Amino acid sequence: MSLVWTTYTTAPGGDQAGLPTNPWAQGPRTSPKSQLHLQKPLRNFQSQLSISARCPNTTGTLCVRRVLFSRRHSLWILLILLVVCIAIQTFVARQARNDKLTGLPHLRFPVSKQHLFPTLQNAWDDFQSALAVKQEVTLQTERTTDIHNLNEEYGKSSNDILSRYVNLVTASHMEAGKVSAGKLLQPNHGNKLSSGLPGSLVPHSTRKGKDKKLLNTPSPLSLFKAPIRSKATCQSKSHIVFLKTHKTASSTILNILYRYGESRNLTFALPLNKHSQLFYPFSFASHFVEGVSSRSVREFHIMCNHMRFRKSEVAKVMPADTFYFSILRHPVAMMESIFIYYKSIQAFHKTHSLDDFLDNGSQNYNSSVTNNHYAHNILSFDFGFDNNIRAGAEDLEERASMAIAAIERDFQLILISEYFDESMVLLKHALCWSLDDVVSFKLNSRSERTRHPLSPNTAEKIKGWNALDWKIYLHFNTTFWHKVDSLVGREQMKREVSQLRELQTKLASTCLKDGGAVDPSQIKDAALKPFQYGAAVIQGYNLNPHIDTQTKTKCQRLITPELQYTDLLYTQQFPELAAKHRQANRMAALQHQRIDRTGALGKVWVRESHHRQFIRHKLPNLKNQKASTSALLTHTAAGNRTKMP
C-alpha cells in the first residue's frame, strides 16, 4: 500500500481534495517493462481513490455514475459516435435521392432497437457495403448513357427509359435463370434484323477489372423479382389511340385492339351513326364519335378506326394518359398496293399500269378531285399534313422536318410494317401486354396473283412522287431500331419473335381448316368474307369445324374482318341505336326496291308507247296494223316480265 501511495500522482482535483502529492517523483529508477505492468493497476486504484475523495458522503454506485459521465474521455466517445451516426444518416439520405434520380428503387437499411448505436466497426462495415452498392449503381448508370441520349427522340424522360430497361432485362434474365449479382447480361449487338440500319445503342461495359470487385456486392438488380416487375413497375395500358393508316397491315392491328378491348369490356370510340370510318378523309372532329355529343359515354378507352389525324380534337375524346401509336410502310410497296386497291379513283382509272401513271397520269393529277389523295403521299395525308408536294420542291426539307417533329411529339411509338412481328413484340412491351394479346392472323391481305413486282426504275419514280412519305419513313425506320435497343434489346427481341411465331403456328393449326388464308370464293361462311374493293382479291379464312364452342368463339374473333367486327362492337356498345339503324336500313332497302320496280315499269310503258307509234307509221293497213301491234305488245310485255327484279 505504501508503494501505491508513494507512486500516486495528483489526480484531477487532487489538491483541492487534500490528497498528498508524490514525494518520490524522482525516486528509484525502474525498467520500462515494470512501469508498464504497474501502470494499469495503479490507474485503477487511483480512480477509486479519486472517487472516494470526491464522494465521501454518497453511495458507491451513484458516485461512480456521476464521475463516469463527467469525465472528458466519455464525452469524446459519445461525440465520435454521434458524428458517425450523423454521417451514416447523411449517406443513406443521399443514396435515396440518387436512387430516385436514376429511377431505381430506394435502398432501405433495416434498423432495430438493439442496434440504434452500433459500434465503430459495425458502422464502418455498413458504410463500406453501402458504398459498394453506390458504385454498382454508378456503373450501371454509366452503362446506360446512350439510352439517356435517346429520350429526346421519344419524348420521354431518361428515368423512365432507364427504369424500364433495367426491369425488362432483369425479368428476362430471371426467367432464363441466368441472373448473377452485380452483373448485367447484355444483348448481342449484331444487326441481323435490318441490314444497313444503325447498330444497337445499348452500351457495353469497359470496366472489366473493376467489375470483379463487385461480384460479391448486392446489386439493385438482384433485389428485383419477376412478380414485382409485372405488378409494380409495369402496368398494362388501356387508354390507346391507334392511327390506322392505309395498306400498312393496320387492319390486323385493329383486330388485335378489338379483341383486347372486347375481352376486357373496354369502351371504343366508334364512328357516329354506325359508319365504318371516322368520316375519313375529313380531318377528325370530336363529334364524329358516337356518344360524344349525346354524352352517353363517360370514358373512352380505345380509338382505332380510320381517320385523318388532328391531335387537338382527339384529345377532347381521349384521356390525358392515352398512349398514341401508328404504323408506316415502305412507300414503294404501299404505292403498288394502293394502285391495285384504289384503281377506280379518278387519278388511276384511265391508266393501264403504275408506270403509266407515274410517267403520264401524275402530270395531270388533280388534288381537288375526291379520293385522289390516295395517289399522293397518303401517309402524310393520314397524319394530317398537306400531301401535295413533290421531290425537288424548295420547302421539301422544311416540311419533312416539321412533319417528323409533329409525329414525334404526338406519338409515343411508330411501328414498321416490314417488321411486323418485331413491331408486335415492341408494342407488347410498350403497352405492358403479353404475347397472347398481340398474336394475330393477317387480315385484309391480297392474294399473290394480284401482286406485281416493280422494277428499280419504278421504285425510284415512286420515291420522287411520294417524296414526303419517303423522308418520314426513313426517319422512323431508324428510330424503330433505336426503340428496340432501348426497350427490349436485340437478343430478347429474337427470342420473343420466335415465341410469337410459334404461338401463331399453333393457333393456325387449331383454328383454321386449311391452315392459312384462302381466296374469297372458297370462304364458306358469308359472315366472315372480307370486303372486296378495286382490282384486289382480299383473302379470308375458314374455321376448323372440329373445335369446341369456346375455342370457336376465340378463333372466330381472330379472323373476323374489319367491317363485321366494327358492326359487332357497335351493337354491343349501343344496342338501342343499333336496332334503330337496322330498322332504318330495312326501310331504305324496301324503298329502294320500290323505286327500282317503279322505274322498271315506267321503262316498259315508254317502250310500249314507242312501239305503238312505230307500228302506226309504218303499217298502211289498219287491220294488219292492229294485229301486228297486239302481237308485238304481247311479246314485249313477256320479255319485260322476265327481266324485272
CSV table of all heavy atoms in Angstrom, one decimal, residues 336-366:
chain,number,residue,atom,x,y,z
A,336,GLU,N,-47.7,0.4,-104.7
A,336,GLU,CA,-48.1,-0.7,-105.6
A,336,GLU,C,-49.5,-1.3,-105.1
A,336,GLU,O,-50.4,-1.6,-105.9
A,336,GLU,CB,-47.0,-1.8,-105.6
A,336,GLU,CG,-47.3,-2.9,-106.5
A,336,GLU,CD,-48.1,-4.0,-105.9
A,336,GLU,OE1,-48.1,-4.2,-104.7
A,336,GLU,OE2,-48.8,-4.7,-106.7
A,337,SER,N,-49.6,-1.4,-103.8
A,337,SER,CA,-50.8,-1.9,-103.2
A,337,SER,C,-52.0,-1.0,-103.4
A,337,SER,O,-53.1,-1.4,-103.7
A,337,SER,CB,-50.6,-2.2,-101.7
A,337,SER,OG,-51.8,-2.7,-101.1
A,338,ILE,N,-51.8,0.3,-103.2
A,338,ILE,CA,-52.8,1.3,-103.3
A,338,ILE,C,-53.3,1.4,-104.8
A,338,ILE,O,-54.5,1.6,-105.1
A,338,ILE,CB,-52.3,2.7,-102.8
A,338,ILE,CG1,-52.3,2.7,-101.3
A,338,ILE,CG2,-53.2,3.8,-103.4
A,338,ILE,CD1,-51.7,4.0,-100.7
A,339,PHE,N,-52.4,1.3,-105.7
A,339,PHE,CA,-52.8,1.4,-107.1
A,339,PHE,C,-53.7,0.2,-107.5
A,339,PHE,O,-54.7,0.4,-108.3
A,339,PHE,CB,-51.5,1.3,-108.0
A,339,PHE,CG,-51.8,1.4,-109.5
A,339,PHE,CD1,-52.1,2.6,-110.1
A,339,PHE,CD2,-51.9,0.3,-110.3
A,339,PHE,CE1,-52.4,2.7,-111.4
A,339,PHE,CE2,-52.1,0.3,-111.6
A,339,PHE,CZ,-52.4,1.6,-112.2
A,340,ILE,N,-53.5,-0.9,-106.9
A,340,ILE,CA,-54.4,-2.1,-107.2
A,340,ILE,C,-55.8,-1.9,-106.5
A,340,ILE,O,-56.8,-2.1,-107.0
A,340,ILE,CB,-53.8,-3.4,-106.8
A,340,ILE,CG1,-52.5,-3.6,-107.7
A,340,ILE,CG2,-54.7,-4.6,-107.0
A,340,ILE,CD1,-52.7,-3.7,-109.1
A,341,TYR,N,-55.7,-1.5,-105.2
A,341,TYR,CA,-56.9,-1.5,-104.4
A,341,TYR,C,-57.8,-0.3,-104.7
A,341,TYR,O,-59.0,-0.4,-104.7
A,341,TYR,CB,-56.5,-1.4,-102.9
A,341,TYR,CG,-57.6,-1.7,-101.9
A,341,TYR,CD1,-57.8,-3.0,-101.6
A,341,TYR,CD2,-58.3,-0.7,-101.3
A,341,TYR,CE1,-58.8,-3.3,-100.7
A,341,TYR,CE2,-59.3,-1.0,-100.4
A,341,TYR,CZ,-59.6,-2.3,-100.1
A,341,TYR,OH,-60.6,-2.6,-99.2
A,342,TYR,N,-57.2,0.8,-105.1
A,342,TYR,CA,-58.0,2.0,-105.4
A,342,TYR,C,-57.9,2.4,-106.9
A,342,TYR,O,-57.9,3.5,-107.3
A,342,TYR,CB,-57.5,3.2,-104.6
A,342,TYR,CG,-57.7,3.1,-103.1
A,342,TYR,CD1,-56.6,2.7,-102.3
A,342,TYR,CD2,-58.9,3.2,-102.5
A,342,TYR,CE1,-56.7,2.6,-100.9
A,342,TYR,CE2,-59.1,3.0,-101.1
A,342,TYR,CZ,-58.0,2.7,-100.3
A,342,TYR,OH,-58.2,2.5,-99.0
A,343,LYS,N,-58.0,1.3,-107.7
A,343,LYS,CA,-57.9,1.5,-109.1
A,343,LYS,C,-59.0,2.3,-109.7
A,343,LYS,O,-58.9,3.0,-110.8
A,343,LYS,CB,-57.9,0.1,-109.8
A,343,LYS,CG,-57.6,0.2,-111.3
A,343,LYS,CD,-56.2,0.6,-111.5
A,343,LYS,CE,-55.8,0.5,-113.0
A,343,LYS,NZ,-56.6,1.3,-113.9
A,344,SER,N,-60.2,2.4,-109.0
A,344,SER,CA,-61.3,3.1,-109.5
A,344,SER,C,-61.3,4.6,-109.3
A,344,SER,O,-62.2,5.3,-109.8
A,344,SER,CB,-62.6,2.5,-108.9
A,344,SER,OG,-62.6,2.7,-107.4
A,345,ILE,N,-60.4,5.1,-108.5
A,345,ILE,CA,-60.3,6.6,-108.3
A,345,ILE,C,-59.9,7.3,-109.6
A,345,ILE,O,-59.3,6.7,-110.5
A,345,ILE,CB,-59.4,7.0,-107.1
A,345,ILE,CG1,-57.9,6.7,-107.5
A,345,ILE,CG2,-59.8,6.3,-105.9
A,345,ILE,CD1,-57.0,7.2,-106.5
A,346,GLN,N,-60.3,8.6,-109.7
A,346,GLN,CA,-60.1,9.3,-110.9
A,346,GLN,C,-58.6,9.4,-111.3
A,346,GLN,O,-58.3,9.3,-112.5
A,346,GLN,CB,-60.6,10.8,-110.7
A,346,GLN,CG,-60.6,11.6,-112.0
A,346,GLN,CD,-59.3,12.4,-112.2
A,346,GLN,OE1,-58.6,12.5,-111.3
A,346,GLN,NE2,-59.1,12.8,-113.4
A,347,ALA,N,-57.7,9.4,-110.4
A,347,ALA,CA,-56.3,9.5,-110.7
A,347,ALA,C,-55.7,8.2,-111.4
A,347,ALA,O,-54.8,8.3,-112.1
A,347,ALA,CB,-55.5,9.8,-109.4
A,348,PHE,N,-56.4,7.1,-111.1
A,348,PHE,CA,-55.8,5.8,-111.6
A,348,PHE,C,-56.7,5.2,-112.7
A,348,PHE,O,-56.1,4.4,-113.5
A,348,PHE,CB,-55.8,4.8,-110.5
A,348,PHE,CG,-54.7,5.1,-109.4
A,348,PHE,CD1,-54.9,4.7,-108.1
A,348,PHE,CD2,-53.6,5.9,-109.7
A,348,PHE,CE1,-53.9,5.0,-107.2
A,348,PHE,CE2,-52.6,6.1,-108.8
A,348,PHE,CZ,-52.8,5.7,-107.5
A,349,HIS,N,-57.9,5.5,-112.8
A,349,HIS,CA,-58.8,4.6,-113.6
A,349,HIS,C,-58.5,4.7,-115.1
A,349,HIS,O,-58.9,3.7,-115.8
A,349,HIS,CB,-60.3,4.9,-113.3
A,349,HIS,CG,-60.8,6.1,-114.0
A,349,HIS,ND1,-60.6,7.4,-113.6
A,349,HIS,CD2,-61.6,6.2,-115.2
A,349,HIS,CE1,-61.2,8.2,-114.4
A,349,HIS,NE2,-61.8,7.5,-115.4
A,350,LYS,N,-57.9,5.7,-115.6
A,350,LYS,CA,-57.6,5.8,-117.0
A,350,LYS,C,-56.2,5.3,-117.4
A,350,LYS,O,-55.8,5.3,-118.6
A,350,LYS,CB,-57.7,7.2,-117.5
A,350,LYS,CG,-59.2,7.7,-117.5
A,350,LYS,CD,-59.3,9.1,-118.1
A,350,LYS,CE,-60.7,9.6,-118.1
A,350,LYS,NZ,-60.9,11.0,-118.7
A,351,THR,N,-55.4,4.9,-116.3
A,351,THR,CA,-54.0,4.5,-116.6
A,351,THR,C,-54.0,3.0,-116.6
A,351,THR,O,-54.7,2.3,-115.9
A,351,THR,CB,-53.1,5.0,-115.5
A,351,THR,OG1,-53.5,4.6,-114.2
A,351,THR,CG2,-53.0,6.5,-115.5
A,352,HIS,N,-53.1,2.4,-117.4
A,352,HIS,CA,-53.0,1.0,-117.6
A,352,HIS,C,-52.1,0.3,-116.6
A,352,HIS,O,-52.3,-0.9,-116.3
A,352,HIS,CB,-52.5,0.6,-119.0
A,352,HIS,CG,-53.4,1.2,-120.1
A,352,HIS,ND1,-54.7,0.7,-120.3
A,352,HIS,CD2,-53.2,2.2,-121.0
A,352,HIS,CE1,-55.2,1.3,-121.3
A,352,HIS,NE2,-54.4,2.3,-121.7
A,353,SER,N,-51.1,1.0,-116.1
A,353,SER,CA,-50.2,0.5,-115.1
A,353,SER,C,-49.7,1.6,-114.2
A,353,SER,O,-49.9,2.8,-114.5
A,353,SER,CB,-49.0,-0.2,-115.9
A,353,SER,OG,-48.2,0.8,-116.6
A,354,LEU,N,-48.9,1.2,-113.2
A,354,LEU,CA,-48.4,2.2,-112.3
A,354,LEU,C,-47.3,3.0,-113.0
A,354,LEU,O,-47.2,4.2,-112.7
A,354,LEU,CB,-47.8,1.5,-111.1
A,354,LEU,CG,-47.3,2.4,-109.9
A,354,LEU,CD1,-48.3,3.3,-109.4
A,354,LEU,CD2,-46.8,1.5,-108.8
A,355,ASP,N,-46.5,2.4,-113.8
A,355,ASP,CA,-45.5,3.2,-114.6
A,355,ASP,C,-46.2,4.2,-115.5
A,355,ASP,O,-45.7,5.3,-115.7
A,355,ASP,CB,-44.7,2.2,-115.4
A,355,ASP,CG,-43.6,1.6,-114.6
A,355,ASP,OD1,-42.8,2.3,-114.1
A,355,ASP,OD2,-43.6,0.3,-114.5
A,356,ASP,N,-47.4,3.8,-116.1
A,356,ASP,CA,-48.1,4.7,-116.9
A,356,ASP,C,-48.6,5.9,-116.1
A,356,ASP,O,-48.5,7.1,-116.6
A,356,ASP,CB,-49.3,4.0,-117.5
A,356,ASP,CG,-50.1,4.9,-118.5
A,356,ASP,OD1,-49.5,5.8,-119.0
A,356,ASP,OD2,-51.2,4.5,-118.8
A,357,PHE,N,-49.0,5.7,-114.9
A,357,PHE,CA,-49.5,6.8,-114.1
A,357,PHE,C,-48.3,7.7,-113.7
A,357,PHE,O,-48.4,9.0,-113.7
A,357,PHE,CB,-50.1,6.3,-112.8
A,357,PHE,CG,-50.4,7.4,-111.7
A,357,PHE,CD1,-51.4,8.3,-111.9
A,357,PHE,CD2,-49.5,7.5,-110.6
A,357,PHE,CE1,-51.6,9.3,-110.9
A,357,PHE,CE2,-49.7,8.4,-109.7
A,357,PHE,CZ,-50.7,9.3,-109.8
A,358,LEU,N,-47.2,7.1,-113.3
A,358,LEU,CA,-46.0,7.9,-112.9
A,358,LEU,C,-45.4,8.7,-114.0
A,358,LEU,O,-44.9,9.8,-113.8
A,358,LEU,CB,-45.0,7.0,-112.3
A,358,LEU,CG,-45.4,6.3,-111.0
A,358,LEU,CD1,-44.3,5.2,-110.6
A,358,LEU,CD2,-45.5,7.3,-109.8
A,359,ASP,N,-45.5,8.2,-115.2
A,359,ASP,CA,-44.9,8.9,-116.4
A,359,ASP,C,-45.9,9.9,-117.0
A,359,ASP,O,-45.4,10.9,-117.5
A,359,ASP,CB,-44.5,7.8,-117.5
A,359,ASP,CG,-43.4,6.9,-117.0
A,359,ASP,OD1,-42.6,7.4,-116.1
A,359,ASP,OD2,-43.3,5.8,-117.5
A,360,ASN,N,-47.2,9.6,-116.9
A,360,ASN,CA,-48.1,10.5,-117.6
A,360,ASN,C,-49.2,11.0,-116.7
A,360,ASN,O,-49.5,12.2,-116.7
A,360,ASN,CB,-48.7,9.7,-118.8
A,360,ASN,CG,-47.7,9.2,-119.8
A,360,ASN,OD1,-46.8,9.9,-120.2
A,360,ASN,ND2,-47.8,7.9,-120.1
A,361,GLY,N,-49.9,10.1,-116.0
A,361,GLY,CA,-51.0,10.5,-115.2
A,361,GLY,C,-50.7,11.5,-114.1
A,361,GLY,O,-51.5,12.3,-113.8
A,362,SER,N,-49.5,11.3,-113.5
A,362,SER,CA,-49.2,12.2,-112.4
A,362,SER,C,-49.1,13.7,-112.9
A,362,SER,O,-49.2,14.6,-112.1
A,362,SER,CB,-47.9,11.8,-111.8
A,362,SER,OG,-46.8,11.8,-112.7
A,363,GLN,N,-48.8,13.9,-114.1
A,363,GLN,CA,-48.7,15.3,-114.6
A,363,GLN,C,-50.0,15.9,-114.7
A,363,GLN,O,-50.1,17.2,-114.6
A,363,GLN,CB,-48.0,15.2,-116.0
A,363,GLN,CG,-46.6,14.6,-116.1
A,363,GLN,CD,-46.1,14.5,-117.5
A,363,GLN,OE1,-46.8,14.9,-118.4
A,363,GLN,NE2,-44.9,14.0,-117.6
A,364,ASN,N,-51.1,15.1,-114.9
A,364,ASN,CA,-52.4,15.7,-114.9
A,364,ASN,C,-53.2,15.4,-113.6
A,364,ASN,O,-54.4,15.5,-113.5
A,364,ASN,CB,-53.2,15.0,-116.1
A,364,ASN,CG,-52.5,15.3,-117.4
A,364,ASN,OD1,-52.0,16.4,-117.7
A,364,ASN,ND2,-52.5,14.3,-118.3
A,365,TYR,N,-52.4,15.1,-112.6
A,365,TYR,CA,-53.0,14.8,-111.3
A,365,TYR,C,-53.8,16.1,-110.7
A,365,TYR,O,-53.2,17.2,-110.6
A,365,TYR,CB,-52.0,14.4,-110.3
A,365,TYR,CG,-52.4,14.2,-108.8
A,365,TYR,CD1,-53.1,13.1,-108.4
A,365,TYR,CD2,-52.1,15.2,-107.9
A,365,TYR,CE1,-53.5,13.0,-107.1
A,365,TYR,CE2,-52.5,15.1,-106.6
A,365,TYR,CZ,-53.2,14.0,-106.2
A,365,TYR,OH,-53.6,13.8,-104.9
A,366,ASN,N,-55.0,15.9,-110.3
A,366,ASN,CA,-55.8,17.0,-109.7
A,366,ASN,C,-56.1,16.6,-108.3
A,366,ASN,O,-56.9,15.7,-108.0
A,366,ASN,CB,-57.1,17.1,-110.5
A,366,ASN,CG,-57.9,18.3,-110.1
A,366,ASN,OD1,-57.5,19.0,-109.1
A,366,ASN,ND2,-59.0,18.6,-110.8
